[in-house]
Amino acid sequence: MSTSIDSVLHETRVFQPTEAFVRQANVSGMAGYKALCDEAERDHEGFWARLAREHIVWHKPFRTVLNQKDAPFFKWFEDGELNVSWNCLDKHLATQADKTALIFEADDGTVTRVTYRELHGRVCQFANALKARNIKKGDRVVIYMPMSVEVVVAMQACARIGAIHSVVFGGFSSKSLNERIEDAKACAVITADAQIRGGKLIPLKSAVHSVIVYRRAGSEVQWNGKLDAWWHDVIAGQAMTCEPEWVSAEHPLFILYTSGSTGKPKGVQHSSGGYLLGAVLTMQWVFDHKPSDIFWCTADVGWVTGHSYVTYGPLAVGGTEVIFEGIPTHPDAGRFWRMIQQHQVTTFYTAPTAIRSLIKLGGDLPKQYDLSSLRLLGTVGEPINPEAWMWYYTVVGQSRCPIVDTWWQTETGCHMITPLPGAMPTKPGSCTLPLPGIAAAIVDEAGHDVHGNHGGFLVIKRPFPSQIRTIWGDPEPTLRTATKTATSGSWAA
């Protein structure tokens, strides 16, 4: 029985947010958190509707908040129309066009800064290039690129014209890439000649054909003159403005493949409106985003973390973010700390695996750098053990930066359970409490709540805007997952 599972983490250390952090926080104190939770409990749909109207600019306002007729295929704000790229770029042009949007640091340390005005122009230019190649709303485009300004441009350009992008991690094999191209029935692939990581050149173009190719490394590539085209050639002469394609909030924004339990890639499909709302709210609530922040999420865009907290969330809130091409140990294990010092990073979000490896390679290295710009730390991807948490808190954060230990999945689109840094005490190894509006619970096999230190299944009892819409081309797994917990009306996490 699942209820025989007991907690094996006996951690008693608790860290309260400082009064100074609480005063300036977007969600201030437990009273602020509970007020949002109470609002969501009183009127679940009204809560999300208010937030969607406040945080998203709609081309056509929605009237229907939640459509549950085809549960578990829930639809949010479906009669509303918007464009995700417009919400990330155009809406900032009147107020902060010259603010830095992206700080890109290449593997060799070269730094490129791109303003919102420049990024908007480059996205529009590439969007026009895609349209010139007859790529249109609803078409699938696979993106197989290194971390770069161009990969953000490619993703945003697809969103701008209503094409559905599917990003494949640049470290995946040609077989993995081919499986995803075939499953999505992609009409185009965007790639680079190669990527550079840790000083090593890794070919990308050799894995694909019939593509738009960004010349990153200047390396030799196999070429088909009838099917292949250079990035710089396709954008030549294209206008720097492009009217966005206004789409339903339920229009698919992207497909992101996850291997799941069978090893066969499953295309998790996310919507436009609900997904964007989740990314924006978690930037505001979890990362306590301020206009002056320099935000750095170290994730690759091949993962959902890179979608939500590199390509979409930071830009939707008008932030300045760091994008990194390389690896944390090249040219030495001080790379991350040197970058934080150089770029005056205020919010640093990385994986426990990276933290543990950096401890082994130089636990005292952070003390050699000025990390005083940091005000918030985050972890993602797996549980963090208390020892690594404490090192992160005391050595990197100098015992003054809250840590947001975020639990979520590709299927949820954004954070589900995590501390809100100005509201909650934190405990090493604990992701603490659900976000407002997220009805999380632990249940047994019969769907009944369990309490205390007893284990069971983690479920979300009510739909939420950013959740998976379906498995691309194969909706049955979504239906089976939901049916398993139908006795409690829950959505299984």
Side-chain angles (χ1 to χ4, degrees):
M1 294 291 290
S2 65
T3 50
S4 67
I5 302 171
D6 293 326
S7 173
V8 295
L9 176 62
H10 301 288
E11 178 60 62
T12 59
R13 291 168 291 188
V14 175
F15 298 85
Q16 299 289 341
T18 65
E19 290 185 10
F21 200 101
V22 172
R23 283 197 301 270
Q24 63 82 59
N26 294 334
V27 180
S28 182
M30 283 300 289
Y33 167 72
K34 289 178 179 178
L36 288 169
C37 292
D38 290 345
E39 180 189 354
E41 184 63 28
R42 288 193 307 271
D43 183 0
H44 186 65
E45 291 188 25
F47 172 77
W48 292 114
R50 175 182 70 80
L51 294 170
R53 292 185 178 106
E54 290 179 3
H55 293 277
I56 293 177
V57 179
W58 296 89
H59 179 68
K60 175 187 173 184
F62 61 88
R63 294 184 178 179
T64 301
V65 179
L66 172 61
N67 182 341
Q68 304 188 66
K69 289 187 296 184
D70 297 321
F73 303 104
F74 302 105
K75 296 178 180 179
W76 287 87
F77 323 122
E78 63 181 318
D79 57 346
E81 292 182 358
L82 76 161
N83 181 275
V84 171
S85 175
W86 196 99
N87 271 271
C88 291
L89 302 173
D90 302 56
K91 78 175 184 182
H92 305 305
L93 296 182
T95 57
Q96 53 175 38
D98 295 321
K99 180 178 180 177
T100 299
L102 307 178
I103 302 170
F104 171 63
E105 181 161 322
D107 187 73
D108 65 1
T110 302
V111 175
T112 304
R113 295 174 180 267
V114 181
T115 67
Y116 274 91
R117 188 194 313 277
E118 293 165 339
L119 184 58
H120 175 264
R122 290 169 69 166
V123 168
C124 287
Q125 188 179 46
F126 194 64
N128 286 326
L130 295 179
K131 291 201 295 184
R133 295 177 73 81
N134 200 34
I135 297 170
K136 57 188 181 301
K137 175 182 175 182
D139 286 345
R140 276 77 66 202
V141 176
V142 166
I143 298 174
Y144 184 60
M145 296 183 73
M147 288 296 288
S148 57
V149 174
E150 283 73 19
V151 75
V152 174
V153 168
M155 295 168 75
Q156 288 278 347
C158 287
R160 193 165 195 88
I161 65 173
I164 305 165
H165 64 67
S166 182
V167 182
V168 179
F169 175 54
F172 280 178
S173 67
S174 57
K175 179 177 182 294
S176 297
L177 175 64
N178 184 64
E179 288 175 340
R180 288 154 174 79
I181 292 171
E182 289 189 353
D183 189 77
K185 296 181 172 56
C187 69
V189 178
I190 304 169
T191 190
D193 54 355
Q195 61 180 325
I196 302 175
R197 289 175 63 86
K200 298 178 181 179
L201 188 148
I202 304 168
L204 289 180
K205 169 62 175 71
S206 59
V208 295
H209 61 84
S210 183
V211 296
I212 298 172
V213 186
Y214 164 56
R215 181 176 280 157
R216 167 63 185 94
S219 56
E220 293 293 325
V221 296
Q222 294 180 339
W223 199 258
N224 183 325
K226 293 182 180 179
L227 300 176
D228 298 340
W230 288 110
W231 179 297
H232 57 267
D233 287 336
V234 302
I235 66 172
Q238 295 293 346
M240 304 287 279
T241 58
C242 176
E243 183 67 17
E245 182 76 28
W246 304 108
V247 299
S248 161
E250 280 298 314
H251 179 72
L253 176 63
F254 64 85
I255 305 165
L256 185 56
Y257 284 87
T258 179
S259 59
S261 57
T262 65
K264 180 183 177 183
K266 298 176 182 62
V268 173
Q269 177 187 314
H270 276 288
S271 70
S272 295
Y275 168 81
L276 180 64
L277 179 61
V280 169
L281 290 177
T282 47
M283 285 297 301
Q284 298 283 9
W285 291 348
V286 181
F287 294 123
D288 192 51
H289 178 76
K290 301 293 190 293
S292 59
D293 278 337
I294 307 295
F295 179 84
W296 184 15
C297 169
T298 67
D300 191 283
V301 293
W303 313 116
V304 71
T305 304
H307 282 56
S308 300
Y309 303 114
V310 175
T311 299
Y312 293 113
L315 297 177
V317 297
T320 297
E321 62 170 316
V322 174
I323 297 179
F324 178 45
E325 179 182 40
I327 58 175
T329 55
H330 177 79
D332 55 63
R335 184 68 182 268
F336 273 8
W337 322 127
R338 188 161 50 249
M339 287 180 62
I340 291 171
Q341 174 182 276
Q342 178 183 355
H343 302 304
Q344 293 292 285
V345 172
T346 61
T347 306
F348 182 60
Y349 190 41
T350 196
T353 297
I355 294 169
R356 286 189 288 267
S357 68
L358 290 169
I359 294 172
K360 292 178 181 177
L361 293 170
D364 290 331
L365 272 175
K367 297 177 182 178
Q368 299 177 23
Y369 298 88
D370 181 4
L371 306 183
S372 60
S373 62
L374 288 171
R375 70 180 194 91
L376 182 64
L377 302 174
T379 67
V380 60
E382 61 191 289
I384 183 169
N385 56 302
E387 293 77 13
W389 193 102
M390 287 301 303
W391 178 87
Y392 198 33
Y393 180 75
T394 58
V395 178
V396 179
Q398 300 167 358
S399 301
R400 58 180 175 78
C401 299
I403 296 176
V404 289
D405 176 2
T406 61
W407 178 85
W408 57 301
Q409 299 176 328
T410 303
E411 292 84 353
T412 69
C414 68
H415 306 145
M416 292 282 102
I417 304 175
T418 177
L420 298 189
M424 298 174 188
T426 53
K427 179 187 290 187
S430 171
C431 59
T432 67
L433 298 172
L435 290 180
I438 303 303
I442 306 295
V443 302
D444 60 21
E445 291 91 337
H448 301 131
D449 288 1
V450 298
H451 303 285
N453 286 325
H454 296 294
F457 299 103
L458 174 61
V459 297
I460 311 297
K461 290 191 170 186
R462 289 180 175 177
F464 52 96
S466 67
Q467 73 184 73
I468 179 178
R469 290 309 188 258
T470 189
I471 298 296
W472 178 262
D474 186 16
E476 281 304 306
T478 309
L479 188 60
R480 285 198 300 272
T481 298
T483 303
K484 273 187 179 180
T485 53
T487 54
S488 63
S490 304
W491 183 84

